[in-house]
Amino acid sequence: MSKAPALADFRRIVVKVGSSLLVDSGAGKLKQPWLASLADDIAKLHKEKRDILVVSSGAIALGRSVLKLPKGPLKLEESQAAAAVGQIALARTWAEVLGKHDITASQVLVTLDDTEERRRYLNARSTIAKLLEWRSVPVINENDTVATTEIRYGDNDRLAARVATMASADLLVLLSDIDGLYDSPPAANAKAKHIPLVPRITREIEAMAGDAASDHSRGGMRTKIEAGKIATTAGIHMVIASGHVNNPLAAIASGGRATWFLTPANPVTARKKWIAGSLEPKGVLTIDAGAVAALRRGKSLLPAGVIRVDGEFGRGDAVVIRGPDGAEIGRGLVAYDAEDAAKIMRRPSGDIMLILGIQGRSEMVHRDDMVLGGE
Ligand code: GLU
């Protein structure tokens, strides 16, 4: 594909909003009318049955202004404390602006480990999946109040890309100070040329990024390119567009100036490739003929269909799925550890609570976490 896709092509969109768009540093207040216009756009996409997630910065910037802190760099504990004040205001604002459209906002605060550690990643992923199923719009930020220097993303661009991966989104929108990528930083070069489409992130593209950053955002173009690499490798398209216009998503939809970063693969294929290829299977689930047929019809693997569990695996590990004759049917990420899997196999999902004492997922391997041979 070498032309920019249309917003309407996507079914699950992560929208990242930078601090400088949300907070007017002069007045020290949220930019309410702009935010309302963004909420209008989100509501429209949401009504058209798309899933929307928002990654919202602004906690520290907002906390600063509520606390009337002087300009200049903050010490770590100061920014953590400022974030605690700002985040609560930020969450309330999102709940209000989305609530006006009868959309239930939800708040998810993540730390680096939540996306980088496999088990926690899966856990956060299930929560987000449930919120989306309930048609909520999750509003996500880094948990700046507890994140320390060594263990933080620091910028919400890469965080947003990881969230997009975690949520199996198909598009990441970065609303920014700037309307996309230029062949050199436009602040330093008036002749810099805007690049509307990046089919692949090459070294040359990376070199164009420079370091542009505004007062509030720690991001700049460099972290946006990093985000682009994460997203496009995971099968997610990314678009950078200016947030300095009202209804910024509608502007993208109508072909406004932006830079599209295309993923070479569609999301399903890339994710499935990752499951099929890059993980060492830790165990084997043998399933009955009925389950084989169900999987081939596109269903998830339920505990009832599993007749044997081998190996020492933990929740979230990759396992091989074999048919009753031992032939490999596919691979997937298992939702239970080996011990629990053995306890609930051959049993209906309704019994999980009874057997394990917790209400785990009803699937042993969810369809989204599975790749079948020949797919
Ligand atoms: N998480 C930070 C905040 O909410 C923002 C990080 C960024 O702007 O990239 O204040």
Side-chain angles (χ1 to χ4, degrees):
M1 189 195 314
S2 57
K3 91 186 203 333
L7 215 52
D9 294 344
F10 300 98
R11 100 204 125 78
R12 183 168 292 177
I13 305 175
V14 173
V15 182
K16 183 257 174 179
V17 189
S19 301
S20 56
L21 298 175
L22 279 168
V23 183
D24 179 337
S25 53
K29 281 203 310 243
L30 277 165
K31 295 181 180 168
Q32 287 288 358
W34 180 79
L35 195 52
S37 83
L38 173 59
D40 287 347
D41 288 357
I42 291 175
K44 185 161 175 283
L45 293 166
H46 187 262
K47 212 165 272 146
E48 293 164 356
K49 300 276 177 284
R50 290 191 183 78
D51 296 329
I52 311 290
L53 301 94
V54 175
V55 171
S56 176
S57 308
I60 299 173
L62 201 56
R64 271 189 103 113
S65 67
V66 174
L67 292 160
K68 305 196 173 33
L69 301 179
K71 277 203 184 295
L74 296 178
K75 294 202 194 83
L76 176 65
E77 68 274 17
E78 289 171 337
S79 43
Q80 290 181 312
V85 172
Q87 183 61 40
I88 203 166
L90 193 60
R92 187 185 54 228
T93 304
W94 278 108
E96 274 169 18
V97 294
L98 294 173
K100 287 207 175 101
H101 296 277
D102 291 325
I103 295 174
T104 308
S106 44
Q107 174 180 258
V108 181
L109 298 180
V110 293
T111 52
L112 192 63
D113 282 349
D114 294 317
T115 60
E116 302 317 299
E117 212 232 286
R118 186 85 201 143
R119 275 176 191 80
R120 291 175 63 166
Y121 171 91
L122 284 176
N123 192 30
R125 203 167 92 94
S126 319
T127 309
I128 287 175
K130 185 51 77 180
L131 287 167
L132 294 174
E133 189 190 314
W134 286 342
R135 302 298 293 139
S136 174
V137 169
V139 178
I140 299 159
N141 196 0
E142 180 160 19
N143 194 347
D144 292 307
T145 298
V146 296
T148 56
T149 329
E150 314 79 66
I151 50 144
R152 70 184 315 162
Y153 304 90
D155 68 90
N156 275 7
D157 295 321
R158 287 175 313 137
L159 167 66
R162 294 301 280 154
V163 164
T165 316
M166 177 152 87
S168 308
D170 44 15
L171 177 66
L172 169 61
V173 180
L174 300 182
L175 293 179
S176 160
D177 273 354
I178 182 166
D179 53 8
L181 178 69
Y182 286 74
D183 61 359
S184 64
N189 175 9
K191 292 215 183 80
K193 236 179 88 229
H194 180 264
I195 313 225
L197 194 72
V198 176
R200 212 161 62 83
I201 300 177
T202 56
R203 284 242 185 93
E204 227 183 324
I205 295 289
E206 285 185 60
M208 294 174 185
D211 266 328
S214 73
D215 260 10
H216 290 315
S217 102
R218 282 176 253 156
M221 197 47 78
R222 186 144 300 169
T223 56
K224 291 182 176 50
I225 301 288
E226 284 305 314
K229 282 201 262 177
I230 297 170
T232 55
T233 316
I236 304 164
H237 291 306
M238 184 176 94
V239 58
I240 303 177
S242 170
H244 286 307
V245 291
N246 280 346
N247 300 101
L249 300 178
I252 299 173
S254 57
R257 203 162 153 104
T259 301
W260 285 86
F261 295 79
L262 304 183
T263 177
N266 72 50
V268 174
T269 322
R271 184 174 156 67
K272 302 236 159 165
K273 265 192 210 141
W274 175 69
I275 291 172
S278 63
L279 301 171
E280 278 287 303
K282 295 268 169 51
V284 180
L285 301 177
T286 306
I287 65 176
D288 63 22
V292 174
L295 261 44
R296 297 233 155 96
R297 286 199 311 272
K299 300 279 193 241
S300 293
L301 175 61
L302 301 179
V306 178
I307 52 176
R308 199 186 145 137
V309 174
D310 293 288
E312 298 271 320
F313 52 84
R315 182 173 168 226
D317 282 341
V319 294
V320 174
I321 303 169
R322 295 192 189 280
D325 57 355
E328 179 165 335
I329 306 294
R331 293 177 180 208
L333 307 180
V334 63
Y336 291 91
D337 65 25
E339 202 181 318
D340 286 350
K343 285 187 197 150
I344 59 174
M345 69 178 186
R346 300 175 193 262
R347 301 285 293 268
S349 301
D351 286 358
I352 294 174
M353 177 72 188
L354 206 68
I355 302 167
L356 300 181
I358 48 148
Q359 189 52 60
R361 292 182 71 150
S362 22
E363 307 86 15
M364 185 78 93
V365 180
H366 192 275
R367 184 69 207 144
D368 292 349
D369 297 334
M370 189 193 307
V371 56
L372 300 188
E375 249 181 8

